Amino acid sequence: MSDITSRTSNDRPDPLADRLNHPHYPRSGHYDARWTIDNQMGPHALWLLEWLAPVLGLDTLPPGARVLDLGCGKAMTSVFLAKEYDVQVTAADLWIEPAKNARRIAEAGVADRVLPVYAEAHQLPFGDGSFDAIVSIDAYQYFGTDDLYLPTLTRLLKPGGRIGVVVPALREEPDGVEPPEHLKPFWDPGFWSFHTADWWRRQWSRSGAVTVEAADWLPDGWRDWLLWSEVCAQESTEEFMAGMARDSVELLNADQGRSLGFVRVVGRRT
């Protein structure tokens, strides 16, 4: 079993871990920095999950509560959920093979608490009321902007259960069909799935599926995103991920917090 919570080696300081030791995310800081880099697929998922956790009420869930981690990627957030909150996690993803996630989960020592599954967000193979909570970190924007989607997802929650997501976001909705002028050289069509906190609050509220309990902006989230991207650009051993990180560094340096950041949204099933 890998020691994914070790931040030192032979009692020597780890400069990489120290660089990523964030005062706002103490639980994430207990996880091996190399492990987080090797399993990242974008912004620092553990930091974002730790920001979401208190508003979602993860600490109030009873041991063994069932949580769906939707769009879990390489299951890093699923491992974190199991270890930090003692819940049973269904780690659902479309892009990562369950067998590969199963090995990572077993190496992390939580094979008894995390079940990896292959699932497309619009065809989730679970019954109504299966979960106490649903979590989605840096994934919901890929499928959740559809006005009709949220009611089909929240049927999986028990009455009163909560859904919480963190998504890349914009401070202000662009006017017309053009991106912000300073971001035009870097703009990808996928960025049109980025929206403001008010946009998400309105979209969830009018669905009738949840009572929105939070929809807010992460102060200085772009700085965290930039720091993480700089580290991954330097340290990622997978060239594709290193290249994505370099692209993010260019994008965020051009923006300097004017437009880009993160929003968390939490709703309770009505």
Side-chain angles (χ1 to χ4, degrees), residues 38-54:
D38 289 346
N39 291 294
Q40 62 90 18
M41 294 183 68
H44 198 310
L46 299 190
W47 289 353
L48 298 179
L49 177 54
E50 195 166 350
W51 178 51
L52 174 67

Side-chain angles (χ1 to χ4, degrees), residues 168-196 217 225 247-248 250-252 254-255 258-261:
L170 296 173
R171 286 186 183 272
E172 297 180 0
E173 290 291 323
D175 293 328
V177 297
E178 296 295 326
E181 188 66 32
H182 68 285
L183 293 180
K184 281 185 177 181
F186 310 95
W187 196 260
D188 181 278
F191 295 169
W192 289 116
S193 67
F194 299 176
H195 293 286
T196 65
W217 178 265
W225 192 354
D247 290 344
S248 294
E250 290 188 15
L251 173 71
L252 294 164
D255 185 57
R258 284 180 282 176
S259 300
L260 297 168

Side-chain angles (χ1 to χ4, degrees), residues 213-236:
E213 297 183 332
D216 56 354
W217 178 265
L218 175 59
D220 283 334
W222 75 275
R223 296 184 187 277
D224 298 343
W225 192 354
L226 177 59
L227 169 61
W228 175 245
S229 297
E230 289 172 339
V231 170
C232 291
Q234 297 166 2
E235 299 290 339
S236 290

Side-chain angles (χ1 to χ4, degrees), residues 120-122 139-153 192-193 195 199-200 202-204 206-207 209:
E120 202 280 323
H122 296 88
Y140 192 82
Q141 70 275 13
Y142 293 118
F143 45 79
T145 57
D146 181 343
D147 290 340
L148 303 180
Y149 180 71
L150 187 63
T152 69
L153 177 60
W192 289 116
S193 67
H195 293 286
W199 188 95
W200 283 108
R202 183 175 62 253
Q203 200 226 25
W204 281 27
R206 69 187 182 186
S207 75

Side-chain angles (χ1 to χ4, degrees), residues 60-217:
T60 68
L61 291 175
R66 296 193 63 195
V67 177
L68 172 62
D69 187 3
L70 183 58
C72 69
K74 294 183 179 180
M76 188 161 57
T77 48
S78 302
V79 169
F80 187 88
L81 286 164
K83 282 184 170 288
E84 299 299 321
Y85 304 104
D86 195 22
V87 293
Q88 293 286 331
V89 185
T90 299
D93 200 80
L94 176 65
W95 296 342
I96 305 299
E97 296 176 18
K100 292 182 178 179
N101 272 345
R103 288 194 291 272
R104 274 185 286 270
I105 291 163
E107 289 171 356
V110 289
D112 59 330
R113 285 176 283 167
V114 181
L115 175 66
V117 300
Y118 175 85
E120 202 280 323
H122 296 88
Q123 297 177 329
L124 296 172
F126 312 114
D128 292 0
S130 294
F131 298 100
D132 298 281
I134 298 173
V135 170
S136 185
I137 303 298
D138 187 28
Y140 192 82
Q141 70 275 13
Y142 293 118
F143 45 79
T145 57
D146 181 343
D147 290 340
L148 303 180
Y149 180 71
L150 187 63
T152 69
L153 177 60
T154 52
R155 69 173 179 81
L156 304 180
L157 284 171
K158 295 177 181 178
R162 287 189 177 104
I163 175 173
V165 309
V166 179
V167 290
L170 296 173
R171 286 186 183 272
E172 297 180 0
E173 290 291 323
D175 293 328
V177 297
E178 296 295 326
E181 188 66 32
H182 68 285
L183 293 180
K184 281 185 177 181
F186 310 95
W187 196 260
D188 181 278
F191 295 169
W192 289 116
S193 67
F194 299 176
H195 293 286
T196 65
D198 286 345
W199 188 95
W200 283 108
R201 179 183 292 276
R202 183 175 62 253
Q203 200 226 25
W204 281 27
S205 295
R206 69 187 182 186
S207 75
V210 298
T211 299
V212 178
E213 297 183 332
D216 56 354
W217 178 265

